[in-house]
Amino acid sequence: MANKQEQQQLNEIQKKNLEAAMRLAQLSIENSQRIMELQVGTAKSLFEEGVANAKALSTVKDPAEAMNLRTSYAQSTTEKMLSCAREIAEITAKTQAEVGKMVSEQLTGGGADMFESIQKMFKGMPIGDNNALGTIQGAMDTARAAYEQMTKASAEAFQAFTKMGAKK
């Protein structure tokens, strides 16, 4: 009886892990699609603006006016490219936060489920070593803390990178 119950618990944990993996894959696909659409839209806009600029330059007789058109075009191109880069950085930051939240939930919820299953397994054994349970819980807590520290450091590094990019 206990074996069947343990198997059901493991199946439930696997189901939760599969659902989390599917959510992660869906999030990745959606954000990749947003970034591609943004890049295509920016490229199309830059192309159209380049064609319009070339037409305008072909009719200009005054060198000063031609220089003003080139400067204006270069400035507009730079602004559009920086705007695109900022939007991609925002999408990436949001994605990173969502993935971090999902992984944290998985570590917390999945770790608790796994610990509960291990506890039940130990209770069914004749030895029932509480030190072993404490060691397992300690290892899970250490892994969770390490992940949270890594996520925090990654987020700080990403923020520093995007601030440096915004200054340029």
Side-chain angles (χ1 to χ4, degrees):
M1 181 82 173
N3 248 350
K4 190 174 183 178
Q5 189 176 19
E6 289 171 14
Q7 186 61 43
Q8 287 175 337
Q9 287 174 336
L10 287 175
N11 288 343
E12 189 62 32
I13 291 170
Q14 288 175 339
K15 181 181 173 190
K16 286 180 184 178
N17 288 338
L18 180 61
E19 288 171 359
M22 288 171 54
R23 281 192 342 232
L24 187 59
Q26 183 66 31
L27 179 65
S28 177
I29 290 167
E30 288 170 1
N31 287 316
S32 294
Q33 187 176 10
R34 281 188 211 132
I35 289 171
M36 286 183 354
E37 288 170 357
L38 178 62
Q39 289 172 328
V40 168
T42 301
K44 182 179 177 188
S45 174
L46 289 173
F47 175 75
E48 290 169 353
E49 189 174 323
V51 169
N53 188 60
K55 285 179 183 178
L57 280 171
S58 69
T59 62
V60 171
K61 306 266 189 255
D62 180 26
E65 189 180 341
M67 184 58 106
N68 286 341
L69 274 173
R70 285 188 182 115
T71 302
S72 175
Y73 174 69
Q75 188 175 19
S76 175
T77 299
T78 302
E79 288 171 3
K80 285 181 181 183
M81 292 177 74
L82 285 174
S83 175
C84 178
R86 274 192 294 273
E87 287 184 56
I88 289 172
E90 287 173 15
I91 291 169
T92 303
K94 287 178 185 175
T95 301
Q96 184 182 28
E98 289 178 48
V99 168
K101 182 181 173 189
M102 284 172 49
V103 171
S104 182
E105 287 172 1
Q106 200 63 16
L107 280 174
T108 303
D113 292 343
M114 186 63 78
F115 184 69
E116 188 178 310
S117 296
I118 291 170
Q119 255 184 328
K120 288 179 181 175
M121 182 179 75
F122 270 104
K123 285 181 182 173
M125 294 179 153
I127 42 176
D129 186 357
N130 285 332
N131 288 334
L133 286 175
T135 302
I136 291 168
Q137 181 65 47
M140 292 173 127
D141 290 343
T142 301
R144 189 177 312 112
Y147 171 77
E148 288 170 0
Q149 189 66 25
M150 192 173 61
T151 302
K152 181 180 175 187
S154 175
E156 288 171 358
F158 182 78
Q159 287 174 351
F161 173 75
T162 54
K163 284 179 185 176
M164 283 177 27
K167 288 180 183 177
K168 290 185 178 182

